[in-house]
Amino acid sequence: DGGITQSPKYLFRKEGQNVTLSCEQNLNHDAMYWYRQDPGQGLRLIYYSQIVNDFQKGDIAEGYSVSREKKESFPLTVTSAQKNPTAFYLCASSYQGQNYGYTFGSGTRLTVV
Amino acid sequence: AQKVTQAQTEISVVEKEDVTLDCVYETRDTTYYLFWYKQPPSGELVFLIRRNSFDEQNEISGRYSWNFQKSTSSFNFTITASQVVDSAVYFCAPGGGGYNKLIFGAGTRLAVHP
């Protein structure tokens, strides 16, 4: 079955370390997105990519980096510059065009220890 | 700028009650799409409905129904005869703010008690 896979489900990081969250989709979607969700909060867009080798900053890109070398993959790196990285991270993908909704992964819960 | 407001932060009901979740949006686009997603405790967002701005007919899917009123920029969601399994956070998301970017509201947390 087609879908979008995020790994790991839970991740612990020491302060000062970079960590990479994986997102893979086999839906043949062109666009991919990363969102951050804090407790009791909505979703805030970190980065998005509409095509391979291209990506744009969202509303809260500082302290994060991404790459899009393959259509299927859109990894997110949380760098040590991100001051408050503990959060729930959701990856999504979609076809191009505003009439398509997103398919979401099951999320990665990152905790800084 | 695109904006969406879900004024109800949390709603608590008893099973079998009807409940309506409000969504008000702002957009400068003349054509756009509106979505509702459900986020159960597992965390993954689940697609519920997509509505385009040309179609103002109400839609019903089982116990779920949606009322879209373009004149008031609202897209409200009603659950009839709520069940415990409906407990989740519900997000309204208009399409806007750029190509294929959905703008998510803060969400409404619904708790259905037995």
Side-chain angles (χ1 to χ4, degrees):
Chain A
D1 285 341
I4 182 165
T5 302
Q6 288 187 244
S7 62
K9 192 171 179 64
Y10 298 96
L11 189 57
F12 296 89
R13 188 195 93 172
K14 292 184 179 179
E15 283 193 28
Q17 285 183 339
N18 292 355
V19 64
T20 298
L21 282 59
S22 171
C23 179
E24 303 274 336
Q25 55 98 0
N26 60 2
L27 299 165
N28 200 32
H29 285 169
D30 302 297
M32 297 186 74
Y33 313 82
W34 274 104
Y35 286 88
R36 170 180 171 143
Q37 185 178 26
D38 293 284
Q41 304 291 317
L43 277 65
R44 292 186 290 170
L45 182 64
I46 304 172
Y47 268 99
Y48 65 103
S49 168
Q50 294 174 353
I51 56 172
V52 175
N53 292 322
D54 187 50
F55 48 83
Q56 286 79 41
K57 292 182 179 179
D59 301 317
I60 56 164
E62 186 175 349
Y64 300 98
S65 66
V66 294
S67 63
R68 187 87 186 275
E69 297 175 2
K70 298 187 301 181
K71 188 176 185 178
E72 302 80 17
S73 179
F74 192 40
L76 173 74
T77 296
V78 184
T79 75
S80 56
Q82 171 49 236
K83 298 305 178 189
N84 185 22
T86 295
F88 186 57
Y89 291 88
L90 282 160
C91 181
S93 67
S94 74
Y95 291 113
Q96 291 284 24
Q98 205 185 124
N99 52 320
Y100 296 106
Y102 295 174
T103 300
F104 281 87
S106 56
T108 292
R109 192 167 299 280
L110 173 63
T111 303
V112 175
V113 297
Chain B
Q2 316 292 340
K3 185 180 173 184
V4 56
T5 301
Q6 294 183 254
Q8 304 144 308
T9 305
E10 293 190 30
I11 300 175
S12 181
V13 299
V14 177
E15 210 168 16
K16 296 185 183 176
E17 282 187 43
D18 298 346
V19 58
T20 295
L21 284 62
D22 298 331
C23 172
V24 175
Y25 61 90
E26 296 176 21
T27 179
R28 292 196 212 103
D29 295 336
T30 53
T31 60
Y32 51 89
Y33 286 80
L34 298 161
F35 299 82
W36 275 93
Y37 284 85
K38 172 182 180 180
Q39 185 180 36
S42 60
E44 180 176 345
L45 269 74
V46 177
F47 167 84
L48 293 178
I49 189 172
R50 177 186 73 204
R51 170 55 52 88
N52 77 55
S53 56
F54 287 111
D55 183 3
E56 291 199 60
Q57 280 193 338
N58 291 335
E59 181 155 345
I60 298 174
S61 175
R63 296 184 297 107
Y64 295 169
S65 63
W66 288 269
N67 180 268
F68 172 44
Q69 298 209 358
K70 198 170 182 179
S71 60
T72 56
S73 297
S74 66
F75 187 41
N76 297 336
F77 172 35
T78 297
I79 301 175
T80 303
S82 60
Q83 299 176 1
V84 173
V85 294
D86 295 327
S87 297
V89 181
Y90 291 86
F91 291 96
C92 176
Y99 190 62
N100 206 36
K101 275 170 57 181
L102 297 187
I103 309 300
F104 287 85
T108 296
R109 181 176 298 278
L110 173 66
V112 182
H113 303 282

